[in-house]
Amino acid sequence: MRLIVLLSFIFIIPSVHSDGGQLDKSLSDLNILLEQDPKQAIIKVSELNQLFIHPQPSSRLWFELKIIEAKTEIKLGLYQDAKQHLYQLESYLPVMAQFSEAPALIKLLLAQIEQKQSNIESSFTLLEQALGVVPKELVVLRSDILHSLARGLRYKARYREAERVVKDAISLVEPINDKARLGTYYNQLGVIYDYMGSLQLALRFHEKSLKLQRSLKNQQGLSNSLYNIGEIYRDLEKYNKALLHFEQALEVDKSLGDPIHIANSHGKLSQVYLQQGEIELALSHSQSGIELTRSSRSNSDLAWQLSILAKIYVAQDALSQALSVAQEALSLAISAKASRTERTVRLVIIEIELVQGHYAKALVDIEQVLTLPGIGNSYLAKLHQYKAQAQEKLGEFESALHSLQQFIEIKAILYQDLDKQQALTLRQNVEFIRQEQALKLIQNEQALQQASLENLKLQRGMGVSLLLCFMAIAIYIYKRQQQKHKYVELEADMMAQSLTQKNRLLADVSHELRTPLAALKLTVEAMQHNIEPDPKKGFDKIQKKISHLDNLIKDIYQSAQFDNDVLTLDKQPVDVNVLIGEIVEEFQPMYATKQQSLSFEACTNNSLCFVDPARIRQVLFNLLRNSHFYTSNEGQTHVNFESNEEHMKVTVEDSFPGVAEQDLEKIFERLYRCEGSRSRDHGGSGLGLAICKQIIRAHGGNVGASHSEMGGVSITLYIPFEETRSDS
């Protein structure tokens, strides 16, 4: 028997090594496939395993294949299989001394499995052992261990320690520009800042991670970034944006096959649908998430999923079921020592107690949660809100007012980027617009009545003429009546169209002003009750919003001038290369504030065109301003000018983010609001692109929008040379 084994090694090992170069390339391709499609990767691993009939611990190719096999099984949720392969590798460590990374790498992968199954303490022990045996020169492996350690600290709500550890990991891979790990570590840091309540920092690092993951085409990294950005939008109550990100993350997770990631995306979708009142959809996603987490045996994730189900039961008034599920979730979270999940479940139990009217017990539980370390601002805001509600119900009005003030202060921190406005001034301007529109409607009605009266007089005159010369004028009267009837119908149609347009504009303007008006009301009330901490700062913000409102009214007036053909163009020969170059130079300092690049490619052909320079400058100013505001930090904007015998063409395109396909044809409509990443959050009037289109149409040209190859939006302007020359 020993002879047979010896002969098999003699014949098999040389064959493997003779094809070592090909196998080495296969392992390299397999590492890439592991990130893009783990399901396909596990099939390839099985095929390559056929090359090794017996374990070969002295072969690096065999060792690396076994490590990839374990990583793939972890990604697919096959934790027991992964443990079995890692324990097998660990048993061979005495004969694998030449692989210096082996002891630490095996400990790291075992720790990751323990984290997946919510065994946080076990994972800490394994990670500490890994840090103790990893060689100093293996900085990449050390950074991976630190990253997993930071994840464990995050589970235990030790956010400051987690922040420090993940920054140490980043400092190790930044000098070697390891983009894949930087993207993963930035995402982890963004999650930590989100939990700490620093939403601005969180969004900044998630955007940096998303940018790197896009460049690497890392599907799992993209899913993680989309998931965590969606979580921030959910905290900010921007539910449509949150849904968009969670749905995209779920699709990617399903393609990759990690059951925990799929379950988490289902859970987040369930939360958003619940907050929007879509109970059936929320319940469907919750049940899918719970089913996956139960099969994965991850107590921490299951506790979180059950907390969502408990809130759904509250919405359905099934309070006994809600409390039972919440208590099960709390037990699981405590057993897993998952501090953040435990805090989430306790918050759900407090909500149930408030609905049941157990206000005193709710206050006790709130005080208990407030003593826990590392509570983020989102949780603090909810706790003080619930505390104020319970105190009010118990008649403790002074305490309730104090809790409400704390709630407002924390919310102000969360929404520190939102400008406040002055309600009285805004009401006056809204009333002015309303009265102006009402006056126009009355004038239109009077004009229509006058036209009807004149028609009636004319008909009576026709009747007298008919009596005098019936036979002679009968045909004439018949034709005249037909003409008048058509005229009245045409005039009525024009009046109706005018009224429809004005009513729609009034509705759009009212919609644009309703939200800031509500915010202004809150600001004024806050200042009346001395809740606003800095009145001077409040009035400064109010003044800015008054300017915003003035700009809105000016844009409405200018758009109306175009509609009524009142505005004329002053066309003259203009060197468009020079004009664009001047505008680009003016915008360079503004773009520098966000580390954005702005470039211009001049036309090499005829650049002399007959246009209105002031209006073309206005168009380019609006486009570059929009691109600056809506393009992410360190983004790019490129302006290109071309011409041929027929027309001049100017293109302004920028980088991520872009807009949805259905929004591209509508962004030039007045006051149209995109639901994607370029919604109007920068104080614009919403009329800029509509005015741009009107100006280009007045030049006899056209304007269009498309997806940019840079990841953002491309706006293209066409002005025909024949039209401009004839006008000149």
Side-chain angles (χ1 to χ4, degrees):
M1 183 66 184
R2 291 180 179 177
L3 180 60
I4 295 173
V5 172
L6 178 60
L7 289 173
S8 66
F9 268 92
I10 290 173
F11 288 105
I12 293 170
I13 293 177
S15 66
V16 171
H17 283 286
S18 65
D19 199 25
Q22 182 63 34
L23 182 56
D24 193 45
K25 182 179 184 303
S26 297
L27 290 177
S28 177
D29 294 340
L30 191 55
N31 271 309
I32 297 173
L33 187 62
L34 172 64
E35 298 298 329
Q36 302 298 330
D37 191 349
K39 296 177 183 177
Q40 188 65 27
I42 199 69
I43 297 173
K44 295 294 183 183
V45 167
S46 299
E47 293 174 358
L48 291 175
N49 271 330
Q50 302 303 314
L51 298 174
F52 299 96
I53 299 177
H54 300 286
Q56 298 182 23
S58 61
S59 167
R60 171 162 287 279
L61 295 176
W62 179 83
F63 168 70
E64 290 184 359
L65 180 61
K66 289 301 174 184
I67 290 294
I68 294 173
E69 184 174 24
K71 288 181 177 179
T72 308
E73 289 166 342
I74 292 172
K75 281 184 174 290
L76 294 175
L78 306 173
Y79 302 133
Q80 292 305 120
D81 293 342
K83 279 186 177 181
Q84 181 180 349
H85 287 114
L86 290 170
Y87 289 147
Q88 180 189 23
L89 279 176
E90 202 167 34
S91 69
Y92 290 123
L93 283 177
V95 294
M96 292 195 303
Q98 69 272 32
F99 307 142
S100 59
E101 75 275 20
L105 183 55
I106 293 170
K107 296 289 184 186
L108 170 61
L109 294 177
L110 286 170
Q112 290 176 350
I113 295 173
E114 294 299 314
Q115 283 186 355
K116 292 279 188 179
Q117 295 186 313
S118 302
N119 301 323
I120 306 302
E121 295 301 328
S122 301
S123 73
F124 273 135
T125 302
L126 289 165
L127 290 170
E128 288 172 358
Q129 293 173 356
L131 283 175
V133 297
V134 63
K136 292 183 179 180
E137 65 272 14
L138 299 180
V139 294
V140 171
L141 180 55
R142 179 176 290 274
S143 73
D144 286 341
I145 297 170
L146 290 173
H147 174 251
S148 291
L149 184 60
R151 183 185 295 274
L153 291 168
R154 194 188 85 200
Y155 287 156
K156 295 180 71 67
R158 291 157 62 179
Y159 301 131
R160 288 298 179 189
E161 294 177 67
E163 177 192 13
R164 175 181 57 78
V165 172
V166 78
K167 283 184 176 179
D168 288 342
I170 290 172
S171 68
L172 290 175
V173 295
E174 273 184 336
I176 60 176
N177 195 29
D178 189 334
K179 292 183 178 180
R181 283 178 171 80
L182 280 174
T184 301
Y185 300 167
Y186 286 152
N187 182 68
Q188 174 80 282
L189 194 55
V191 174
I192 293 169
Y193 283 132
D194 182 16
Y195 289 172
M196 293 169 65
S198 302
L199 299 186
Q200 284 183 327
L201 281 174
L203 193 56
R204 182 191 307 170
F205 279 99
H206 285 317
E207 286 177 346
K208 290 178 70 173
S209 173
L210 187 60
K211 183 178 179 181
L212 287 173
Q213 304 296 4
R214 280 183 183 276
S215 67
L216 296 170
K217 298 181 180 179
N218 184 338
Q219 294 301 307
Q220 186 60 70
L222 285 172
S223 172
N224 293 341
S225 294
L226 289 168
Y227 176 94
N228 291 316
I229 292 173
E231 175 69 2
I232 292 175
Y233 281 129
R234 189 183 72 86
D235 289 341
L236 293 173
E237 299 178 1
K238 297 184 177 181
Y239 298 128
N240 288 332
K241 290 184 179 180
L243 274 179
L244 179 64
H245 284 77
F246 289 142
E247 286 170 351
Q248 290 176 340
L250 178 60
E251 290 303 313
V252 177
D253 289 337
K254 284 181 176 178
S255 69
L256 297 177
D258 189 321
I260 294 298
H261 287 164
I262 297 172
N264 288 342
S265 293
H266 275 301
K268 289 301 177 184
L269 283 168
S270 178
Q271 285 182 320
V272 177
Y273 281 125
L274 177 60
Q275 287 166 313
Q276 290 187 320
E278 300 283 349
I279 305 300
E280 293 301 321
L281 284 172
L283 184 60
S284 173
H285 283 287
S286 175
Q287 290 170 339
S288 298
I290 290 172
E291 181 180 352
L292 287 167
T293 48
R294 283 195 189 277
S295 62
S296 299
R297 300 178 182 177
S298 175
N299 288 345
S300 174
D301 290 299
L302 180 56
W304 176 69
Q305 295 281 354
L306 289 173
S307 72
I308 300 171
L309 180 60
K311 296 189 73 170
I312 294 173
Y313 283 145
V314 171
Q316 294 177 328
D317 271 342
L319 298 183
S320 59
Q321 288 178 276
L323 189 58
S324 174
V325 171
Q327 288 172 344
E328 179 188 356
L330 183 60
S331 176
L332 289 169
I334 293 173
S335 68
K337 297 183 179 180
S339 302
R340 175 176 170 79
T341 306
E342 177 188 346
R343 192 178 305 139
T344 300
V345 176
R346 290 189 182 279
L347 199 62
V348 174
I349 292 175
I350 291 169
E351 292 173 1
I352 296 172
E353 290 170 346
L354 290 174
V355 175
Q356 290 178 325
H358 300 159
Y359 304 117
K361 191 174 187 311
L363 280 178
V364 173
D365 289 344
I366 290 170
E367 293 299 336
Q368 181 181 356
V369 177
L370 284 172
T371 61
L372 299 176
I375 299 178
N377 285 333
S378 296
Y379 279 106
L380 275 176
K382 288 180 181 178
L383 285 170
H384 286 297
Q385 183 183 17
Y386 294 156
K387 188 176 180 181
Q389 182 181 344
Q391 289 168 335
E392 181 187 2
K393 294 294 184 181
L394 293 172
E396 301 172 6
F397 298 114
E398 290 187 6
S399 299
L401 180 60
H402 177 69
S403 298
L404 186 59
Q405 288 173 340
Q406 289 180 300
F407 165 72
I408 292 172
E409 289 172 2
I410 296 170
K411 274 292 186 181
I413 295 172
L414 284 171
Y415 292 90
Q416 58 186 345
D417 293 333
L418 300 178
D419 292 325
K420 296 183 176 71
Q421 307 159 335
Q422 186 179 6
L424 179 60
T425 303
L426 189 56
R427 285 198 193 100
Q428 291 173 346
N429 284 281
V430 172
E431 183 64 17
F432 167 75
I433 295 172
R434 187 195 66 77
Q435 290 178 355
E436 184 180 43
Q437 292 299 320
L439 179 61
K440 290 181 179 179
L441 290 174
I442 293 172
Q443 291 174 343
N444 290 336
E445 290 176 359
Q446 290 177 344
L448 187 60
Q449 291 175 356
Q450 183 64 30
S452 300
L453 181 59
E454 290 178 357
N455 282 330
L456 181 58
K457 291 179 179 179
L458 182 60
Q459 289 174 7
R460 289 177 178 176
M462 291 291 182
V464 174
S465 300
L466 183 62
L467 292 174
L468 297 175
C469 51
F470 176 80
M471 295 299 296
I473 315 175
I475 297 175
Y476 171 77
I477 294 175
Y478 176 74
K479 291 182 178 180
R480 181 70 174 178
Q481 288 290 353
Q482 280 188 324
Q483 292 174 352
K484 289 297 180 183
H485 182 67
K486 290 180 180 179
Y487 172 76
V488 171
E489 287 182 348
L490 178 61
E491 188 177 29
D493 288 343
M494 292 177 65
M495 290 291 184
Q497 291 177 6
S498 176
L499 289 176
T500 301
Q501 291 176 355
K502 298 302 181 183
N503 287 337
R504 187 177 67 178
L505 180 59
L506 178 59
D508 288 341
V509 171
S510 299
H511 177 75
E512 289 294 304
L513 297 177
R514 186 179 297 115
T515 300
L517 180 59
L520 273 173
K521 181 179 179 183
L522 291 176
T523 304
V524 171
E525 290 176 355
M527 295 180 70
Q528 287 176 340
H529 296 288
N530 296 322
I531 298 176
E532 171 61 42
D534 189 350
K536 183 178 182 301
K537 186 176 180 181
F539 281 114
D540 289 340
K541 291 181 179 179
I542 287 170
Q543 187 60 41
K544 289 180 182 178
K545 287 304 174 180
I546 294 173
S547 298
H548 172 204
L549 182 61
D550 288 340
N551 290 334
L552 174 61
I553 294 172
K554 288 177 183 177
D555 285 347
I556 292 171
Y557 174 71
Q558 189 176 72
S559 181
Q561 285 185 309
F562 276 107
D563 285 345
N564 297 323
D565 293 327
V566 175
L567 197 64
T568 58
L569 299 177
D570 181 20
K571 294 184 180 180
Q572 52 188 275
V574 176
D575 190 334
V576 179
N577 270 339
V578 175
L579 178 64
I580 299 176
E582 290 175 352
I583 297 172
V584 168
E585 184 177 356
E586 291 173 8
F587 271 84
Q588 291 292 356
M590 179 186 294
Y591 274 67
T593 61
K594 292 176 66 177
Q595 292 82 47
Q596 296 169 331
S597 65
L598 175 59
S599 58
F600 168 49
E601 183 177 351
C603 177
T604 57
N605 296 328
N606 177 29
S607 63
L608 189 65
C609 305
F610 286 85
V611 294
D612 185 333
R615 295 302 174 189
I616 297 300
R617 173 180 286 274
Q618 181 181 359
V619 171
L620 293 172
F621 180 89
N622 277 335
L623 296 181
L624 291 180
R625 179 179 177 274
N626 281 359
S627 181
H628 165 68
F629 280 143
Y630 299 128
T631 302
S632 60
N633 290 350
E634 302 179 0
Q636 300 176 4
T637 300
H638 181 68
V639 184
N640 177 266
F641 172 48
E642 302 174 12
S643 69
N644 55 31
E645 294 181 355
E646 296 180 358
H647 61 258
M648 58 171 278
K649 172 185 171 184
V650 179
T651 303
V652 179
E653 59 179 343
D654 54 32
S655 57
F656 178 83
V659 300
E661 185 69 32
Q662 63 269 22
D663 292 328
L664 284 175
E665 298 179 0
K666 301 179 180 179
I667 60 176
F668 296 101
E669 296 178 8
R670 284 183 290 204
L671 300 172
Y672 180 73
R673 183 183 297 275
C674 295
E675 292 297 330
S677 59
R678 286 175 172 252
S679 61
R680 191 159 55 260
D681 293 328
H682 296 280
S685 67
L687 295 167
L689 289 179
I691 292 174
C692 290
K693 181 177 181 180
Q694 290 172 316
I695 291 174
I696 298 303
R697 287 282 181 88
H699 280 82
N702 203 352
V703 59
S706 62
H707 295 297
S708 168
E709 293 182 356
M710 299 165 64
V713 178
S714 176
I715 306 290
T716 304
L717 315 175
Y718 297 91
I719 298 181
F721 276 132
E722 292 183 359
E723 177 74 15
T724 55
R725 286 171 186 154
S726 63
D727 285 349
S728 65

